[in-house]
Structures are given as structure tokens and as C-alpha cells.
């Protein structure tokens, strides 16, 4: 039987930073940010770490399902901004939420982290290795942004989402299909220079601001437009679905123009495309579970809906997942 999402929740920090926040700090303006990216504001977590955002999301997810933290078998945290390099954010989250019977780990696939995590968790459910898996996706991007680099700092925000996976009772519902891809040649266009074993942190690396996101925006943009659209169209084709069959596209929120290109390739009406980039910017592994949770809690996800998740991010990593929604 396939894995199915049986509960979900998200959390974004309360502090809102509008585009105008950057105007007296770097050479940018609201008009440029809006028209080039679609972003109007984003949330930054002023205090605390990634797991402090995940705790309320996990608690809401469990409470809406009516189960206790002790029932979780495994917790996967997709992120590039864990509280610490080690122990894992999964271990810290386990302690903070009382998931005493869970094992778990962090998964690093940048903006595609949630999709990779979902398929990893689904595999554990389908194989019978676990009964209840929590898949978390989120990032505190403000912890790795160079607020003097106008080409990157305006793009990102902080936030996270969580889904609970269990075994579906009906083979037609749940995670139906997935296409996941990776191309390490993309590594040179989106990365962090120091802080890993290749270049451990030192006085010099800190002074040179090498612990921040570096991006060659146009190269990433060109690959993302093609990559995300390709996998979204392919998953429809190979499941014999046409645009009318799809209820929602939930794309990674990196740039409105990349989202539009994906929707066009799928032949989807813009009304079926979930966009919240204007409120949150790019929360990396958080974008897709936040969109999904907002859609669900707004009452717009219906039993039997076909939804397509699609992402593109550092690595490069990208992919699409087809879900037949099974929550009533
Ligand atoms: N404010 C004002 N001007 C800015 C700016 C800012 N915040 N950032 C860059 N510019 C300038 C550039 O310096 C450049 O100036 P120049 O023409 O004088 O050299 C000009 O704006 C155009 O820059 P460019 O990089 O060509 O813009 P763009 O249309 O490619 O948009 C991104 C930049 C980053 C928004 C876009 O490339 C993008 O979205 N890339 C992909 C991001 C992504 O998907 N990341 C994946 C991670 S998930």
C-alpha cells in the first residue's frame, strides 16, 4: 500500500520584513524585488533555531491527528540550516517534542529537501519499516544570508512545514508517483564556500564572509525553468493525466517567473497554481510543506484531488511528486 499524508501543519515566524526593509541597507528597491521575483515580504526568525520553528508545527500536526509524540517511529528533517552540524536537527527535535520512540536523521537537498524527504519517508512506510513517519522541511535562511549581498539576501525567508505519513488503506490514494533528479555539475552556481570539511571555519573564512549563500542567479534561473517544468510535465504524461485532471500545482517558491513557466508547460490555469512567495520569499525546504499546509487549512484540498509537487534547488536537485489526496 502507498504512503499517505494523514496530518500536516506549518509555522512561520511572526516578524515580517517588507522589501522596504532592505532599501536603506543595500542598493535595491521594492519595485525591483517585486517585478523580478514576486516577493513583497518575508519572515525572519529573530531569536531561536530551526527546531524552535519546527516544534509548534510538529505539535499542531500531532494534535490534529490526535496522536502523541511517542507514537512517531521516525522523524526526517530536510534542511540546510540545522541548529548544529551535529547532533542532527532530527535528534534535537525528538528531544524537544518527546518523540522518544523515534529514530531519525537530517536530509540535505536544499530546495528539493522536502520532496526527497517525502519519498524517503514513504519508502519506510511502504516497506513496513515504520508506521508513522514525520517528514519536516524548513530552513532558517536568515542564518546563512549575507545582508550586504543584494543578489541573494532579498530572496529568502524563514519557515517550515511538517507532514505525517502513514500507510494508505486504499491503494489508489496517497503518494502515487515521483521523479527525483540530481546533477552535481550545478554545485558551482549555488553553494556555501566555508564551514564544511573542504574549508573549515576559521578567522579568515568568517572575515571573508564565506559562511553565506552564494548564487549565480541567472544560471540557476535558466536550469530551474527547464528542470522544474520538465519533471512536472513528465509526471503528468507518464500517469496519463491532462491539465483538467490536476487540481493543484504546488511548486517550490523561488521565483514567480519559474513558477509561471512550469504552469505553462503543464497547461495549467493559474488558478490551480499555489503561490505564496509574496508573503514568505524562498524558505528553501519549507516552501512546499508551507504551501500544502496553507492550502489544506484554507479548506481547498479535497478528497481525491490530484496534486503535483515540483521543486528545483542547489545541488542541483529537482523533482516532482504526484499525490492523490486522501484526507477527508
Ligand atoms: N536590487 C536591485 N538590482 C539588483 C538586485 C537587487 N536586489 N539584485 C541584482 N540586481 C541587479 C544586477 O546587479 C543586475 O545589474 P546589471 O544589469 O547592472 O549587472 C540586474 O539587477 C539584473 O540582474 P540579474 O541577475 O540578471 O537579474 P535576474 O532577472 O536574473 O533576477 C534573480 C535575479 C536572482 C531574481 C533570478 O536570477 C533568480 O530568481 N534566479 C533563480 C533563483 C533560484 O531559483 N534559486 C534556486 C534556489 S532555490
Amino acid at each position: 500500500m502507498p504512503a499517505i499524508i494523514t496530518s500536516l501543519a506549518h509555522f512561520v515566524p511572526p516578524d515580517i520584513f517588507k522589501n522596504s526593509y532592505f532599501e536603506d541597507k543595500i542598493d535595491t528597491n521594492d519595485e525591483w524585488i517585486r517585478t523580478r521575483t514576486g516577493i513583497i515580504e518575508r519572515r525572519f526568525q529573530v531569536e531561536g533555531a530551526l527546531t524552535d520553528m519546527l516544534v509548534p508545527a510538529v505539535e499542531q500536526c500531532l494534535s490534529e491527528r490526535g496522536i502523541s509524540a511517542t507514537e512517531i517511529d521516525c522523524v526526517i528533517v530536510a534542511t540546510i540550516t540545522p541548529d548544529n552540524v551535529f547532533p542532527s536537527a532530527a535528534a534535537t527535535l525528538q528531544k524537544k517534542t518527546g518523540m522518544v520512540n523515534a529514530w531519525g536523521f537530517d536530509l540535505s537537498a536544499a530546495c528539493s529537501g522536502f520532496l526527497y524527504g517525502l519519498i524517503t519517508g514513504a519508502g519506510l512506510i511502504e516497506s513496513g519499516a515504520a508506521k508513522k513517519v514525520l517528514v519536516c522541511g524548513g530552513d532558517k535562511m536568515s542564518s546563512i544570508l549575507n545582508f550586504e549581498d543584494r543578489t541573494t539576501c532579498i530572496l529568502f525567508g524563514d519557515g517550515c512545514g511538517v507532514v505525517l505519513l502513514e500507510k494508505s488503506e486504499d491503494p489508489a490514494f496517497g503518494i502515487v508517483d515521483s521523479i527525483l533528479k540530481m546533477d552535481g555539475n550545478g554545485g558551482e552556481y549555488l553553494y556555501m564556500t566555508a564551514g564544511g570539511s573542504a574549508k573549515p571555519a576559521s578567522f579568515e573564512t568568517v572575515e571573508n564572509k564565506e559562511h553565506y549563500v552564494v548564487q549565480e542567479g541567472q544560471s540557476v534561473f535558466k536550469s530551474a525553468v527547464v528542470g522544474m517544468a520538465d519533471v512536472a510535465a513528465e509526471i503528468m504524461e507518464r500517469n496519463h493525466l491532462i491539465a483538467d485532471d490536476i487540481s493543484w500545482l504546488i511548486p517550490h517558491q523561488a521565483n514567480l517567473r519559474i513558477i509561471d513557466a512550469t504552469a505553462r508547460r503543464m497547461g495549467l490555469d493559474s488558478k490551480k497554481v499555489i503561490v505564496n512567495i509574496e508573503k514568505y520569499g524562498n524558505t528553501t525546504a519549507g516552501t512546499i510543506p508551507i504551501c500544502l499546509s496553507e492550502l489544506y487549512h484554507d479548506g481547498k484540498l479535497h478528497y481525491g484531488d490530484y496534486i503535483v509537487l515540483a521543486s528545483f534547488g542547489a545541488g542541483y536537485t529537482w523533482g516532482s511528486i504526484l499525490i492523490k489526496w486522501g484526507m477527508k
Side-chain angles (χ1 to χ4, degrees), residues 28 32 36 111 150 215 217-218 220 252 254-255 257-258 282:
T28 192
W32 191 96
R36 298 286 178 128
C111 300
R150 68 175 182 169
Q215 174 170 247
Q218 276 198 13
V220 178
H252 173 54
N255 188 308
R257 292 178 287 152
I258 300 172
N282 180 352

Side-chain angles (χ1 to χ4, degrees), residues 71 95 103 119 128 257 317:
E71 292 181 58
K95 178 182 151 203
W103 63 283
I119 292 309
R257 292 178 287 152
T317 55

Side-chain angles (χ1 to χ4, degrees), residues 236 242-244 246-249 259-260 262-275:
M236 282 172 70
I242 58 167
D244 282 349
I246 307 291
S247 297
W248 302 105
L249 166 66
I259 295 173
D260 288 345
T262 303
R264 270 200 306 278
R265 244 327 256 300
M266 296 170 76
L268 278 195
D269 190 296
S270 61
K271 288 196 200 83
K272 293 182 169 185
V273 182
I274 303 305
V275 176

Side-chain angles (χ1 to χ4, degrees), residues 9-259:
H10 69 282
F11 178 85
V12 289
D15 292 287
I16 298 173
F17 293 76
K18 294 190 176 299
N19 289 341
S20 55
Y21 166 78
F22 297 96
E23 285 178 347
D24 60 351
K25 296 177 180 62
I26 47 173
D27 182 14
T28 192
N29 57 73
D30 177 49
E31 156 81 20
W32 191 96
I33 301 172
R34 272 176 202 248
T35 52
R36 298 286 178 128
T37 69
I39 301 166
I40 296 175
E41 60 191 39
R42 74 286 292 138
R43 310 292 181 98
F44 290 138
Q45 186 189 20
V46 178
E47 269 178 31
L50 173 72
T51 60
D52 296 311
M53 292 193 286
L54 283 170
V55 167
V58 168
E59 287 174 349
Q60 184 186 340
C61 181
L62 296 178
S63 128
E64 289 189 10
R65 180 75 178 109
I67 61 170
S68 99
T70 57
E71 292 181 58
I72 300 301
D73 301 314
C74 176
V75 55
I76 300 171
V77 179
T79 188
I80 54 166
T81 51
D83 301 20
N84 302 89
V85 173
F86 71 92
S88 66
T92 306
L93 186 63
Q94 183 229 32
K95 178 182 151 203
K96 287 183 176 175
T97 55
M99 292 188 273
V100 292
N101 296 312
W103 63 283
F105 56 94
D106 292 359
L107 187 157
S108 172
C111 300
S112 300
F114 182 74
L115 265 57
Y116 278 36
L118 203 56
I119 292 309
T120 307
L124 293 170
I125 298 286
E126 284 159 23
S127 71
K131 287 194 169 62
K132 289 184 170 59
V133 178
L134 264 190
V135 180
C136 313
D139 275 291
K140 179 177 177 172
M141 291 305 289
S142 59
S143 66
I144 56 167
L145 289 179
N146 179 354
F147 283 91
E148 291 168 4
D149 175 6
R150 68 175 182 169
T151 67
T152 52
C153 70
I154 51 103
L155 299 172
F156 296 92
D158 302 339
C160 65
V162 177
V163 303
L164 175 64
L165 289 178
E166 297 181 70
K167 192 166 269 190
S168 179
E169 286 166 7
D170 183 332
F173 288 81
I175 296 169
V176 175
D177 195 12
S178 65
I179 300 172
L180 297 180
K181 305 245 182 191
M182 183 163 72
D183 178 3
N185 290 308
E188 65 188 274
Y189 303 113
L190 184 49
Y191 58 92
M192 185 192 286
T193 309
S197 58
K199 197 167 192 188
S202 67
F203 180 77
E204 190 194 352
T205 63
V206 173
E207 198 171 49
N208 293 339
K209 301 186 189 305
E210 292 177 333
H211 301 268
Y212 296 129
V213 174
V214 179
Q215 174 170 247
E216 209 180 293
Q218 276 198 13
S219 302
V220 178
F221 185 90
K222 282 182 200 149
S223 300
V225 163
V226 177
M228 206 158 98
D230 276 356
V231 288
E234 189 184 337
I235 208 158
M236 282 172 70
E237 278 158 29
R238 81 179 191 190
N239 287 279
H240 313 292
L241 298 170
I242 58 167
D244 282 349
D245 300 321
I246 307 291
S247 297
W248 302 105
L249 166 66
I250 303 187
H252 173 54
Q253 311 281 309
N255 188 308
L256 198 50
R257 292 178 287 152
I258 300 172
I259 295 173

